[in-house]
């Protein structure tokens, strides 16, 4: 029987420091999520060894006794945080599930990822970035309304109703807030009014594109100015619809772009691409998540149900992709 190590960051591992925003540990997982994934791995006929975060891994790396690691660790801070566990595993020659350190760093940094999308002719909202409010100039390259995001975070960190700005005053205020609170540059994008979708992919040589999931907010599919804020994640104002009831034409576009994005950043085993679609039906890629949430409340659970497999089988599918890729089968 093969042994699978599990690397992760627990919400409770995070020690809040003075000045930390409420969502500082938003990317980390609840113990219940770790347990559910561990049980799913066991259900696929593997022994599971819980390792924990990058520091725990460092302590034990010479003596792990695992065949492969299932990594969902987010790391503590900075644009390379998700790369920390993968680079340690790579150094030690231990195979792991999911994207490597380069892809994780490249995609956590949304500005770097967007440069790749542009080079690959994948549509993404027009943008610019600033290190501080002092560097902000009244530009006319992007048209209001704009959305202000931290350059390298996930889980809608830093996003509230104030993130969508209509004028230069609002922009200045939000850039000041993001750069100071999250201690990183602000990414400013044209706000895409319309609908929102996310497309998951599993596999490598012949990646399987999963049914499109649509995001419904406050009971509405036509989101217009609404978007996925941090407060909404934990409320019942957000629903996922799978499969999205959309035209074949839009589905084809989303599938094609999702796969193109997955390949452009060399994602492995699994990933999820987030889109907004404007009123004229044009999709824009917001980001790719090579380390998407596997929480049972998140989209992977819903997708599993829709394609007629269990959550355990979905986790097995992802793990199996990594096992085959590493020639461990
Ligand atoms: N350019 C945009 N236009 C409209 N909404 C956006 C835009 N960028 C982000 N959003 C909203 O903010 C949410 C989070 O943004 P995203 O870029 O996916 O970052 P995260 O890594 O936090 O998920 C999206 O799901 C969407 O609702
Ligand atoms: Mg997202």
């Amino acid at each position: 029987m093969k042994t699978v190590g599990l690397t992760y960051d627990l919400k409770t591992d995070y020690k809040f420091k003075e000045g930390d925003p409420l969502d500082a540990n938003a990317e980390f997982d609840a113990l219940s999520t770790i347990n559910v994934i561990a049980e799913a791995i066991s259900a696929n006929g593997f022994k599971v060894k819980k390792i924990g975060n990058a520091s725990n891994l460092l302590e034990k790396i010479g003596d792990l006794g695992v065949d492969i690691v299932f990594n969902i660790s987010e790391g503590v801070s900075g644009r390379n945080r998700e790369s920390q566990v993968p680079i340690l595993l790579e150094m030690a020659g231990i195979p792991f599930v999911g994207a490597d350190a380069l892809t994780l760093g490249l995609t956590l940094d949304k500005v770097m990822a967007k440069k790749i999308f542009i080079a690959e002719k994948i549509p993404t909202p027009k943008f610019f970035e600033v290190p501080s409010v002092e560097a902000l100039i009244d530009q006319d390259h992007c048209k209001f309304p704009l959305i202000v995001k931290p350059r390298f975070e996930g889980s809608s960190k830093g996003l509230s109703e104030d993130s969508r700005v209509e004028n230069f005053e609002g922009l200045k205020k939000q850039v000041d807030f993001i750069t100071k609170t999250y201690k990183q540059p602000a990414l400013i994008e044209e706000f895409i009014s319309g609908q929102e979708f996310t497309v998951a992919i599993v596999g490598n040589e012949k990646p399987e594109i999963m049914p499109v999931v649509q995001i419904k907010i406050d009971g509405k599919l036509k989101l217009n100015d609404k978007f996925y804020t941090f407060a909404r994640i934990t409320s019942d104002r957000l629903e996922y619809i799978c499969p999205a009831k959309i035209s074949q034409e839009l589905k084809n576009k989303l599938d094609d772009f999702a796969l193109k994005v997955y390949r452009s950043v060399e994602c492995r085993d699994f990933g999820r691409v987030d889109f907004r679609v404007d009123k004229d039906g044009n999709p824009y890629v917001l980001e790719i998540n090579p380390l998407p949430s596997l929480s049972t409340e998140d989209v992977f659970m819903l997708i599993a149900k829709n394609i007629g497999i269990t959550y355990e089988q979905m986790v097995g599918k992802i793990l199996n992709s990594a096992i085959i890729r590493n020639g461990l089968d």
Side-chain angles (χ1 to χ4, degrees):
M1 189 189 265
K2 286 196 177 69
T3 302
V4 178
L6 194 53
T7 46
Y8 50 86
D9 286 281
L10 284 178
K11 279 200 195 292
T12 48
D13 285 348
Y14 190 85
K15 304 277 173 282
F16 276 87
K17 301 180 294 294
E18 197 166 329
D20 269 351
L22 276 175
D23 58 11
N25 69 350
E27 291 268 90
F28 295 175
D29 282 294
L31 184 61
S32 55
T33 303
I34 307 303
N35 289 335
V36 167
I37 296 172
E39 280 159 28
I41 297 170
S42 311
N44 282 282
F46 298 94
K47 192 171 166 240
V48 182
K49 242 189 204 178
K50 287 184 188 161
I51 298 169
N53 61 24
S55 306
N56 300 137
L57 174 64
L58 254 182
E59 277 168 31
K60 306 177 202 163
I61 200 146
D63 187 28
L64 280 184
V66 300
D67 297 287
I68 188 165
V69 167
F70 202 117
N71 169 49
I72 59 160
S73 167
E74 292 282 344
V76 177
S77 66
R79 64 179 176 180
N80 296 309
R81 59 180 167 82
E82 290 183 350
S83 311
Q84 291 161 356
V85 161
I87 207 73
L88 292 173
L89 293 169
E90 189 177 308
M91 280 174 70
I94 301 162
F96 55 94
V97 178
D100 74 353
L102 177 63
T103 295
L104 288 164
L106 182 63
T107 54
L108 188 59
D109 185 332
K110 293 189 170 78
V111 169
M112 297 298 272
K114 284 170 78 78
K115 288 179 183 171
I116 302 276
F117 303 158
I118 292 165
E120 298 276 337
K121 301 196 166 49
I122 295 161
T124 185
K126 277 194 195 158
F127 76 105
F128 61 100
E129 85 40 65
V130 282
S132 66
V133 71
E134 289 76 29
L136 198 58
I137 49 159
D138 207 352
Q139 54 77 48
D140 57 7
H141 152 72
C142 293
K143 302 261 175 296
F144 285 102
L146 302 170
I147 183 166
V148 186
K149 312 193 260 192
R151 181 169 159 175
F152 34 85
E153 293 297 347
S155 303
S156 286
K157 276 173 82 169
L159 296 184
S160 70
E161 300 305 329
D162 297 335
S163 305
R164 183 181 170 283
V165 296
E166 307 255 8
N167 52 41
F168 195 62
E169 273 316 296
L171 175 62
K172 269 205 305 214
K173 208 172 127 240
Q174 205 55 19
V175 165
D176 197 39
F177 166 73
I178 289 292
T179 51
K180 289 191 176 137
T181 312
Y182 295 91
K183 300 183 175 55
Q184 58 186 279
L187 160 61
I188 300 117
E189 284 183 347
E190 283 193 351
F191 187 91
I192 310 297
S193 188
Q195 308 189 73
E196 183 159 336
F197 302 91
T198 190
V199 180
I201 293 184
V202 177
N204 296 305
E205 262 159 49
K206 281 192 190 132
E208 199 178 327
I209 305 169
M210 298 294 161
V212 176
V213 175
Q214 182 161 15
I215 318 293
K216 197 174 185 180
I217 299 177
D218 293 338
K220 294 203 163 58
L221 290 172
K222 286 212 172 85
L223 302 183
N224 299 325
D225 294 344
K226 294 184 208 290
F227 59 99
Y228 201 145
T229 59
F230 174 67
R232 284 200 170 104
I233 292 188
T234 44
S235 77
D236 52 10
R237 295 163 62 191
L238 192 112
E239 282 169 72
Y240 298 117
I241 312 293
C242 181
K245 292 175 191 68
I246 49 174
S247 67
Q248 191 61 41
E249 189 193 352
L250 179 57
K251 183 181 155 39
N252 291 346
K253 278 191 205 167
L254 295 175
D255 284 359
D256 288 353
F257 285 134
L259 186 59
K260 214 168 168 190
V261 169
Y262 190 82
R263 290 199 162 124
S264 74
V265 296
E266 299 185 9
C267 228
R268 304 190 307 204
D269 308 326
F270 72 135
R272 212 196 68 220
V273 182
D274 292 346
F275 291 93
R276 290 284 289 204
V277 174
D278 73 12
K279 291 198 172 81
D280 301 321
N282 303 307
Y284 293 85
V285 173
L286 300 181
E287 60 155 353
I288 175 159
N289 303 287
L291 214 57
S293 170
L294 291 175
S295 153
T296 48
E297 266 114 72
D298 221 289
V299 294
F300 268 89
M301 179 72 162
L302 199 67
I303 292 167
K305 226 182 239 168
N306 183 256
I307 63 171
I309 65 172
T310 61
Y311 174 79
E312 287 77 11
Q313 285 169 323
M314 179 60 98
V315 170
K317 223 173 171 33
I318 296 165
L319 177 55
N320 206 36
S321 300
I323 287 179
I324 294 169
R325 175 171 58 76
N326 285 288
L328 298 172
D329 50 329

